[in-house]
């Protein structure tokens, strides 16, 4: 089973994430506390394991160097691209669920796709402002993408789509 090293704790112990056991990871900390650095470590190790990775770069520039990294399929730094990435991940999850329900696939048939969402609070604030400029007259008052993120957080693990969220 894949065990991804992501940091060394205050006692000098290496901490590892095992996505097959704990498919969702939440990194919480103040500004400059090392959340993004831990995500960089996760990303590089995941890519070395051959896992596909999509990154939502809330700060817009923290993951720019990974755009050509092996197995990093997507680094979304602009708000519109970030929203499209969440929609695409949700669509993939729904497609995988449909295949399982139809009996045409099993969870073990799918390659893992890890979603890394850095600076969720910044993403949320930027999307809220952006949505005001693109919201259709009869559209919902809140950006629908937030419901998709919540849905992914609850359900994506069963479609072999682990998530790492930093806030």
């Amino acid at each position: 089973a894949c065990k991804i090293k992501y940091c060394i704790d205050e006692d000098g112990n290496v901490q590892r994430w095992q996505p097959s056991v704990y498919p969702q990871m939440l990194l919480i900390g103040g500004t400059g506390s090392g959340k993004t650095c831990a995500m960089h470590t996760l990303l590089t190790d995941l890519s070395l394991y051959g896992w596909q990775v999509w990154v939502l770069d809330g700060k817009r520039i923290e993951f720019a160097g990974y755009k050509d990294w092996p197995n990093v399929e997507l680094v979304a730094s602009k708000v519109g691209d970030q929203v499209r990435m969440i929609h695409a991940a949700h669509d993939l999850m729904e497609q995988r669920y449909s295949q399982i329900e139809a009996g045409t696939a099993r969870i073990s048939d799918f390659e893992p796709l890890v979603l890394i969402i850095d600076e969720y609070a910044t993403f949320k604030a930027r999307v809220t402002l952006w949505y005001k400029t693109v919201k259709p007259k009869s559209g919902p008052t809140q950006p629908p993408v937030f419901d998709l993120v919540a849905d992914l957080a609850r359900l994506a693990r069963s479609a072999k789509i682990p998530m790492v969220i930093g806030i």
Side-chain angles (χ1 to χ4, degrees):
C2 176
K3 291 183 181 179
I4 305 296
K5 167 181 69 176
Y6 65 94
C7 74
I8 298 175
D9 68 18
E10 65 273 4
D11 297 322
N13 300 312
V14 174
Q15 297 300 307
R16 291 179 170 81
W17 176 45
Q18 193 170 355
S20 62
V21 177
Y22 306 105
Q24 314 302 25
M25 175 186 269
L26 179 63
L27 297 172
I28 302 171
T31 301
S33 63
K35 298 177 304 293
T36 300
C37 184
M39 289 183 181
H40 285 212
T41 301
L42 288 165
L43 181 152
T44 56
D45 283 0
L46 286 162
S47 72
L48 291 174
Y49 270 99
W51 288 33
Q52 298 170 336
V53 180
W54 291 2
V55 181
L56 189 154
D57 188 353
K59 290 185 249 175
R60 300 171 46 196
I61 59 171
E62 294 293 329
F63 290 86
Y66 293 102
K67 290 183 178 183
D68 296 323
W69 196 269
N71 299 315
V72 177
E73 295 184 339
L74 179 61
V75 175
S77 56
K78 295 178 182 171
V79 174
D81 294 338
Q82 294 170 349
V83 170
R84 280 189 288 280
M85 184 192 103
I86 297 299
H87 277 271
H90 194 271
D91 290 347
L92 177 63
M93 178 188 74
E94 290 293 336
Q95 176 188 2
R96 288 180 173 187
Y97 265 72
S98 293
Q99 289 176 310
I100 293 167
E101 289 170 332
T104 59
R106 296 182 315 265
I107 294 172
S108 60
D109 294 334
F110 302 124
E111 292 296 321
L113 168 66
V114 179
L115 299 180
I116 295 177
I117 300 176
D118 189 28
E119 290 298 337
Y120 183 78
T122 301
F123 164 70
K124 187 172 181 182
R126 291 181 70 219
V127 168
T128 300
L129 289 173
W130 169 82
Y131 186 66
K132 291 176 184 177
T133 68
V134 298
K135 177 186 166 295
K137 286 190 181 214
S138 61
T141 56
Q142 293 298 313
V145 71
F146 300 143
D147 292 332
L148 299 181
V149 172
D151 211 27
L152 285 162
R154 287 188 304 270
L155 302 172
R157 66 179 177 79
S158 295
K160 224 169 185 178
I161 304 174
M163 293 177 67
V164 177
I165 298 177
I167 190 165

